[in-house]
Amino acid sequence: MAIVPIYEFPHEVLRKKARKVKKLDKSLDRISQDLVDTMQNAQGVGLAANQIGILKRVIAIQLPEEDPRVYINPEIVDKEGEREVTEACLSVPGYRGTITRSILVKAKAWDRQWRDVLIKAEGLLAQALEHEIDHLNGILYMDHLNQHEKLEKIEPELDQEEVEELN
């Protein structure tokens, strides 16, 4: 499979709503693997198909120390509580912002073997599910900011050689 380009804001595909997947075919295997490969290469926690230009409801999520998961036609069926979190996005590189996400999320989807799965998530998994499902609906985390002034620029970390050159 392949590492493919990630579309960045303000590309129009990021604002389009992805279509439901109606049948399992070989293209779904390729999309799933491309999502996982691209997400891992970018060192992300999640990636939605429309971020790589495919308007199908497919997401990949990989929490630290876990194997990647691919969900087809994911949807949130219930959520509880609220908490403030700092979020960033592979499609909005170099920035982060504080937004409100749910404490607990229940979602349903199909896995890569086309089996129904019910996901009960909290913490980072709940946050990632909300973030990636938002992508499938054409919503970016920036849309959840109370004030756009809260979008912060992330300063890249310098490696040891660069630090020595500055001294």
Side-chain angles (χ1 to χ4, degrees):
M1 303 309 163
I3 296 165
V4 297
I6 297 172
Y7 288 91
E8 295 180 3
F9 178 78
H11 197 284
E12 64 187 28
V13 75
L14 298 172
R15 294 301 190 175
K16 294 190 177 189
K17 192 169 182 175
R19 294 179 302 276
K20 255 189 166 175
V21 174
K22 300 211 189 261
K23 63 179 183 168
L24 184 60
D25 60 27
K26 287 230 180 257
S27 74
L28 207 52
D29 288 337
R30 183 189 50 78
I31 293 166
S32 298
Q33 196 58 54
D34 288 352
L35 279 170
V36 169
D37 293 346
T38 303
M39 173 187 65
Q40 289 175 332
N41 182 67
Q43 299 177 347
V45 171
L47 195 64
N50 51 341
Q51 288 179 273
I52 61 170
I54 299 168
L55 291 174
K56 291 188 177 185
R57 296 187 75 78
V58 183
I59 63 173
I61 293 176
Q62 184 170 16
L63 301 182
E65 313 300 322
E66 291 188 14
D67 290 332
R69 314 167 193 207
V70 173
Y71 296 120
I72 302 157
N73 296 334
E75 67 179 88
I76 293 173
V77 294
D78 194 19
K79 50 188 174 179
E80 297 175 15
E82 290 184 344
R83 64 191 181 110
E84 279 199 354
V85 296
T86 300
E87 261 187 38
C89 179
L90 296 173
S91 290
V92 189
Y95 292 90
R96 65 178 169 218
T98 302
I99 66 169
T100 302
R101 289 285 188 201
S102 302
I103 293 172
L104 178 70
V105 168
K106 291 179 187 172
K108 66 179 184 175
W110 289 323
D111 65 13
R112 287 173 86 169
Q113 286 72 45
W114 212 244
R115 294 179 298 220
D116 287 324
V117 290
L118 183 61
I119 309 130
K120 188 174 182 180
E122 55 189 356
L124 184 57
L125 180 56
Q127 183 179 348
L129 282 166
E130 285 186 303
H131 181 106
E132 301 311 328
I133 292 170
D134 273 355
H135 270 299
L136 297 178
N137 293 318
I139 299 167
L140 299 173
Y141 82 94
M142 302 178 311
D143 300 334
H144 294 292
L145 294 171
N146 292 331
Q147 301 171 356
H148 287 286
E149 296 82 49
K150 290 186 179 179
L151 194 62
E152 315 171 23
K153 182 135 180 73
I154 301 170
E155 298 301 325
E157 293 183 30
L158 299 176
D159 66 23
Q160 189 58 38
E161 261 182 49
E162 291 171 316
V163 170
E164 289 171 9
E165 286 176 16
L166 291 174
N167 292 330

